[in-house]
Amino acid sequence: MWDLRTHSAWQQFPSKCFVLSASDRFFPFLPGLYASVDRRFFDRNWCRPYCYTRVSCDESFEYSEDSGTRPFLFSFRGNVATHAVRANVMQLAHPSAVLTDTGAESYVATNRDIYRKEIQQSQFVLCPRGAGVSSFRVFECLAMGRAPVIISDDWTPPLGPDWGQFSIRVPEGQVDLIPGLLAKHSQNAEYMGRLARAAWEQHFAPDAAFDCVVSQCLEMKSSRRRRPSLRAYKHLLRPFFFKYCVLKRAVRLIKNFPKATNSSSSEP
């Protein structure tokens, strides 16, 4: 983000520049849409959540009008090591559930094929947070017409869709309640899946994404904000941001200081 602030486009047109970021961890130095927005960073006039661009462009997550058989009440396939809540997910027990830790697997194309097939065969798909507060899985479920079960206390939903109609939000500390909760919603799973697909087509699909991104950027532009809110800066003291935003920047300035000094001293 530091580098973007020094770009000629930002220097010349700061009120017209916005970021579209797919990073799981970031500090919102610049206004824009970010894929994984911590609720403490959310500011509709500066930092808004949106879909991962990689998912919007991935046509392998196909949707079929034919619901087919859905033998799994819920499923999860992912790397457990990315966040502690995923280990709790793996402890769930249900006869109609499939849970797989991919952390020990080497990546091959068939893994992705199995992943997509499991989503197709599931009534609900568990979407616990990973390295960031969001997950690719949330939007992959929408693209395939499946209801996501979002397990992330700090996740901020993208603006526009009515997330309560087609998704279920579960606190990280109540993972053990998931089997019983989803059993009660089982009869609505297919209907929620159709609403999920409708939200995808309206807000995140390739045909809709450009207009949605531009319209949100124009809304932020109208606020005439020039910097993040002051409350956002306190998060620079959190370990990840302090290490990569503050310390890394300080080291770069120190390294460049002798060059700048020599350059100025050599001027006539």
Side-chain angles (χ1 to χ4, degrees), residues 12-180:
Q12 191 172 0
F13 307 106
S15 65
K16 298 180 180 180
C17 292
F18 296 88
V19 172
L20 180 59
S21 171
S23 174
D24 271 329
R25 287 178 170 175
F26 66 91
F27 185 86
F29 287 112
L30 302 182
L33 302 178
Y34 297 84
S36 183
V37 176
D38 187 306
R39 59 182 173 82
R40 290 163 287 197
F41 282 152
F42 172 66
D43 181 342
R44 65 183 305 122
N45 292 325
W46 185 268
C47 174
R48 295 187 180 191
Y50 193 64
C51 176
Y52 292 92
T53 51
R54 192 191 82 179
V55 181
S56 288
C57 299
D58 191 344
E59 297 181 353
S60 64
F61 291 93
E62 300 175 351
Y63 173 70
S64 174
E65 292 287 349
D66 180 15
S67 61
T69 59
R70 302 185 188 185
F72 306 131
L73 175 62
F74 61 89
S75 66
F76 169 73
R77 172 175 289 267
N79 189 342
V80 173
T82 57
H83 194 272
V85 73
R86 295 190 170 200
N88 295 335
V89 166
M90 293 300 296
Q91 300 302 313
L92 296 176
H94 192 280
S96 299
V98 57
L99 305 170
T100 306
D101 177 10
T102 61
E105 297 181 6
S106 59
Y107 179 84
V108 292
T110 53
N111 287 350
R112 296 291 290 175
D113 294 338
I114 294 172
Y115 172 65
R116 288 189 291 268
K117 186 174 181 179
E118 286 180 352
I119 292 178
Q120 289 175 337
Q121 296 178 330
S122 300
Q123 297 178 42
F124 298 96
V125 180
L126 306 190
C127 302
R129 61 162 297 171
V133 297
S134 188
S135 169
F136 289 113
R137 200 171 277 98
V138 173
F139 302 97
E140 291 163 349
C141 288
L142 268 56
M144 297 186 71
R146 295 297 183 270
V149 180
I150 302 165
I151 312 168
S152 177
D153 293 347
D154 296 324
W155 179 73
T156 304
L159 304 180
D162 185 349
W163 290 86
Q165 289 188 340
F166 55 81
S167 68
I168 296 176
R169 193 85 180 260
V170 176
E172 294 175 20
Q174 297 181 15
V175 169
D176 58 314
L177 301 180
I178 287 177

